[in-house]
Amino acid sequence: MKQEAIDQIRGCLLGGAAGDALGYPIEFMSEKAIFSRYGKKGITRYELDPKLGKALISDDTQMTLFTANGLLAGETRSKMRGIVGPPRNYVAKAYQDWLLTQEMTFESYQKAEYLSSQRTTWLLDIPELFARRAPGNTCLAALRNLRRRKQEIQDYILSPQNDSKGCGGVMRVAPAGLFQTYSIEKLDYEGAQMAAITHGHSLGYMTGAVLTHIINRIVFSAPGDEGSHERRSLKEIILEARDVTRELFKGDVYLKKLTDAIDKAIELSENQEEDLRNIHELGEGWVAEETLAISLYCSLRYQNDFSAGIIAAVNHKGDSDSTGAVTGNILGAWLGYEQIEDKWKKDLELSEIILEIAGDISQGCRINEYSCPGEDPDWERKYIFCRWKADQT
């Protein structure tokens, strides 16, 4: 993989976590309270947790990490066995691991040895992930319902769990765009399926397809038309994502609402109005199409300035951590890790784990069914035996 792509993968995951951590302290605050507390520019730097001395990530980044781990587990099974189910199956199992982190302490999980055989991710070895950071009730309820089912769902779009279009699906699917396993259309559809695991309204999952497409095209299809060495513009990539999603979900009654939101985000990003006024035109971000629209607006408006982009994305009365996270995913991929200011890398909770996952995505699974035992012990431990460290196996 080219070094530029590796830098963009790191930027996507770290950037998403940075936007999430910046917005998390003000997620449920009014604009009056935000600007009264932080000044006329709003929150512009991390607010550190007094106990941990870190900027805390929310459930957005937690679930993003479990998405990535599930995808890597699926990729490994594919290489080892040749025949494998769709990525959504492994991601759904990874979300069951995340659900455990919301229901028990790390210590109580360790004592529940019977659970160890059911795990899909090595992230269950990270004590800091056993923390409730305002998890969405829709996600919790949908995952608990899936746990009670006797049969595994194969198609979450055709078998919806609910009619929710909350942003809990789109805010976690960016890692789907960081893989090259499938054609872009199939990859987009998998991004939608991953969002649909918990959010059954078409606006709740079609947005997952759009974000997956944007991230993938940024990282892996930067050149312009065939034969051109010029980088495609972010606007061109977003318009392509809109058009491909329109074809994928042709006939959906809510499709026009989604494409209108995308078009409006593009239009507003090109005017001279203040950010807050434009963001009010797009919504508050509690529902998926609004989170996506606000994130697209901020990414387009500040495509050469990561800091300005995530600051604009969080300083409003809506779902600040989710709009910050998705904006950070896009801008982090667009600009790359090295272009993210050091202040967002310092004091960020679990930054080492985030970069470790990014490194694994960049490397990809190098073992297969013909590999010699122990050929890549670190990979085998994490993605076959689902353990983080050797002394935890």
Side-chain angles (χ1 to χ4, degrees):
M1 184 178 289
K2 293 181 179 179
Q3 188 60 43
E4 182 183 3
I6 294 171
D7 186 55
Q8 290 175 303
I9 290 169
R10 286 161 58 88
C12 179
L13 294 188
L14 192 286
D20 174 31
L22 181 66
Y24 180 48
I26 62 172
E27 180 181 9
F28 301 109
M29 291 176 65
S30 68
E31 283 160 12
K32 181 178 180 181
I34 292 170
F35 296 114
S36 174
R37 178 169 179 172
Y38 298 101
K40 63 180 181 179
K41 293 183 179 179
I43 189 169
T44 59
R45 62 182 64 237
Y46 288 146
E47 184 171 302
L48 304 185
D49 179 81
K51 291 183 179 179
L52 299 178
K54 297 284 187 180
L56 302 183
I57 59 169
S58 80
D59 62 316
D60 296 42
T61 299
Q62 289 177 343
M63 295 196 77
T64 298
L65 288 172
F66 279 91
T67 301
N69 197 326
L71 288 164
L72 287 165
E75 179 187 38
T76 303
R77 302 303 190 277
S78 177
K79 293 285 182 69
M80 294 299 294
R81 299 175 185 172
I83 300 174
V84 69
R88 73 193 78 143
N89 292 358
Y90 297 93
V91 171
K93 291 176 182 177
Y95 291 161
Q96 289 298 323
D97 285 1
W98 172 78
L99 181 60
L100 293 176
T101 70
Q102 305 302 293
E103 296 178 328
M104 58 181 69
T105 65
F106 180 66
E107 292 73 23
S108 63
Y109 172 75
Q110 286 186 308
K111 293 177 182 177
E113 294 182 2
Y114 71 94
L115 291 170
S116 63
S117 62
Q118 303 174 18
R119 61 192 287 157
T120 301
T121 67
W122 58 268
L123 291 174
L124 283 175
D125 286 337
I126 310 300
E128 294 86 349
L129 282 170
F130 285 76
R132 287 179 69 95
R133 301 285 169 75
N137 289 329
T138 298
C139 288
L140 295 173
L143 294 175
R144 285 170 178 152
N145 181 59
L146 288 171
R147 186 169 59 189
R148 289 190 293 266
R149 293 179 64 96
K150 294 182 179 179
Q151 264 191 325
E152 185 178 58
I153 291 177
Q154 296 300 315
D155 192 310
Y156 293 92
I157 290 174
L158 296 180
S159 302
Q161 297 297 293
N162 50 45
D163 193 37
S164 174
K165 64 170 186 170
C167 68
V170 69
M171 57 78 165
R172 64 176 192 245
V173 302
L178 300 177
F179 289 77
Q180 292 180 288
T181 311
Y182 300 104
S183 67
I184 187 66
E185 292 82 6
K186 188 170 182 180
L187 193 68
D188 294 350
Y189 194 69
E190 282 301 313
Q193 287 279 359
M194 290 172 206
I197 291 169
T198 57
H199 288 72
H201 193 290
S202 60
L203 286 170
Y205 59 74
M206 289 189 295
T207 46
V210 177
L211 183 60
T212 298
H213 190 103
I214 291 168
I215 297 297
N216 188 267
R217 285 305 201 211
I218 288 174
V219 176
F220 299 114
S221 301
D225 296 333
E226 190 173 351
S228 170
H229 295 288
E230 292 184 9
R231 190 183 195 193
R232 298 176 66 200
S233 72
L234 183 57
K235 180 179 177 179
E236 287 174 324
I237 291 172
I238 290 170
L239 288 172
E240 180 186 279
R242 179 201 65 188
D243 294 343
V244 171
T245 303
R246 183 183 280 150
E247 286 300 309
L248 276 177
F249 298 101
K250 187 183 296 183
D252 186 279
V253 295
Y254 296 101
L255 183 59
K256 188 175 186 303
K257 186 168 185 179
L258 173 60
T259 57
D260 284 350
I262 294 170
D263 289 340
K264 191 170 187 178
I266 295 171
E267 178 187 348
L268 292 175
S269 74
E270 296 170 347
N271 71 21
Q272 302 301 314
E273 299 289 344
E274 62 178 20
D275 288 327
L276 197 55
R277 181 171 181 175
N278 284 332
I279 288 172
H280 287 167
E281 288 285 313
L282 297 170
E284 297 183 4
W286 300 110
V287 293
E289 73 274 19
E290 292 180 3
T291 288
L292 180 66
I294 293 170
S295 301
L296 295 180
Y297 164 80
C298 294
S299 298
L300 286 165
R301 185 88 150 195
Y302 297 105
Q303 56 192 276
N304 296 314
D305 190 337
F306 178 87
S307 297
I310 62 168
I311 288 169
V314 305
N315 280 292
H316 57 87
K317 60 185 176 181
D319 197 349
S320 299
D321 59 339
S322 295
T323 52
V326 177
T327 301
N329 288 142
I330 297 171
L331 283 178
W334 181 250
L335 295 170
Y337 177 80
E338 294 301 327
Q339 294 300 311
I340 296 175
E341 284 187 69
D342 286 344
K343 71 176 183 178
W344 305 118
K345 301 169 186 176
K346 183 182 177 184
D347 299 325
L348 176 63
E349 185 184 28
L350 292 178
S351 58
E352 299 88 353
I353 300 298
I354 293 165
L355 293 177
E356 183 170 351
I357 285 273
D360 290 345
I361 294 173
S362 300
Q363 171 187 317
C365 179
R366 297 177 182 175
I367 57 177
N368 56 47
E369 57 185 318
Y370 305 108
S371 298
C372 298
E375 188 169 316
D376 191 337
D378 291 337
W379 193 276
E380 291 176 7
R381 186 181 63 251
K382 287 195 286 186
Y383 298 108
I384 294 178
F385 299 108
C386 306
R387 293 294 181 180
W388 182 33
K389 299 290 187 183
D391 59 2
Q392 293 170 318
T393 57

